[in-house]
Amino acid sequence: MPINLQGKSFLKLLDFSTEEILYLLELSKEFKKLKLTRTPHRYLEGKNIVLLFEKTSTRTRCSFEVAGYDLGMGVTYLEPGSSQMGHKESIADTARVLGRFYDGIEYRGFSQDLVQELSDKAGVPVWNGLTDEFHPTQMLADIMTIEENFGRLKGLNLTYMGDARNNVANSLMVVSAKLGINFTACGPKDLMPKADLVETCRELAKEHGSTITLTEDPKEGAKDAHAIYTDIWVSMGEPADVWAERIKLLEPYRVTQELMDLGAKGCIFLHCLPSFHDTNTKVGQDIEKQFGIKEMEVSDEVFESRQSKVFDEAENRMHTIKAVMYATLK
Ligand code: CP
Ligand code: NVA
């Protein structure tokens, strides 16, 4: 049966079949070609979208904006705290208003229930630009980058190192399970993904011939990995006072060259960004002053190495988000 995602929201990858995810990846490749050859593709001219952000963003916001413009659409950006939503107006009422004005809504915020409610009430597709639980548009870019480097996906080994129960780690486990990638969550016992999500992913992985492994040993986690992925140790929305504990728990999981060297031949480094790999940020400087460390989740050596594909990955956010909007709005 041909794939048809018209009118569908993009809230989490558990809602999508393997075939649908692969279709979005194929579409992303087409859009990348069009962009790189500067071929106009204003396929959604006349439509309008709104980007609703309750947390800050560089990549996700700019990807939606540029992708929207490239597709010929009008784009409204509502920055954190700048709309009535959450203060004077409920999510349900906001959804019903925005759904009358716009053809699609991007939402970045806190609980997954909120983005679900927005989608239930808006009557137009809603795209999840990150919640505390999932970051599905990021996954398409990550998988696209992995495929660009290895020419395949099935049977590869992907290791997430660090806070293995955050939105990015959860989403990587889901997408790996759906695409037959062997996924390892490597982190301390207290920062492992929830048991029910692991169970769901193990069942999916079995169907697709891959495995889900949890390990607390960074060397075991890195061994034979085709891609080693990490993310910041404290996510948006978490209180600043967790830094001390997180640093203590996660220092052994910093992605160093020594860990990268344990990976499979051609092992690549991935990170959704932003990253604390040096002290060229305000947070980086504060952490150095307070805790005496200059690098956090990844060493600067690895971040700047040839194995690091983080900027290709960031670019792919735009192509993949374009594919999601096109598939759901066309
Ligand atoms: N990776 C990612 O979502 O980046 P932003 O927070 O800059 O959107
Ligand atoms: N886990 C991070 C991802 C940022 C793109 C956060 O939620 O802050």
Side-chain angles (χ1 to χ4, degrees), residues 211-249:
T211 55
I212 304 291
T213 307
L214 308 187
T215 177
E216 290 174 53
D217 179 349
K219 288 195 172 141
E220 191 186 315
K223 195 170 173 314
D224 298 330
H226 294 93
I228 299 181
Y229 197 124
T230 189
D231 182 13
I232 50 174
W233 288 345
V234 176
S235 285
M236 290 182 278
E238 294 194 289
D241 63 11
V242 300
W243 271 112
E245 193 206 357
R246 278 302 152 76
I247 289 171
K248 206 160 89 202
L249 281 174

Side-chain angles (χ1 to χ4, degrees), residues 108 130 135 166-168 231-232 234-236 272-274:
R108 167 173 285 196
L130 179 147
H135 195 4
N166 77 8
N167 40 19
V168 169
D231 182 13
I232 50 174
V234 176
S235 285
M236 290 182 278
C272 55
L273 305 182

Side-chain angles (χ1 to χ4, degrees), residues 159-216:
T159 294
Y160 180 91
M161 200 63 86
D163 178 6
R165 39 103 255 183
N166 77 8
N167 40 19
V168 169
N170 285 342
S171 309
L172 282 172
M173 183 163 69
V174 173
V175 81
S176 297
K178 292 227 169 199
L179 296 180
I181 295 170
N182 301 309
F183 179 76
T184 299
C186 182
K189 196 165 70 259
D190 292 346
L191 297 176
M192 282 296 180
K194 282 192 186 139
D196 57 344
L197 186 62
V198 174
E199 191 49 40
T200 303
C201 289
R202 282 202 165 128
E203 278 165 29
L204 286 167
K206 207 164 143 198
E207 259 175 59
H208 296 103
S210 66
T211 55
I212 304 291
T213 307
L214 308 187
T215 177
E216 290 174 53

Side-chain angles (χ1 to χ4, degrees), residues 53 56-61 108 129-130 135 138 236 272-274 317:
F53 280 80
T56 53
S57 169
T58 298
R59 278 145 291 272
T60 309
R61 178 215 170 150
R108 167 173 285 196
L130 179 147
H135 195 4
Q138 177 72 49
M236 290 182 278
C272 55
L273 305 182
R317 297 297 308 287

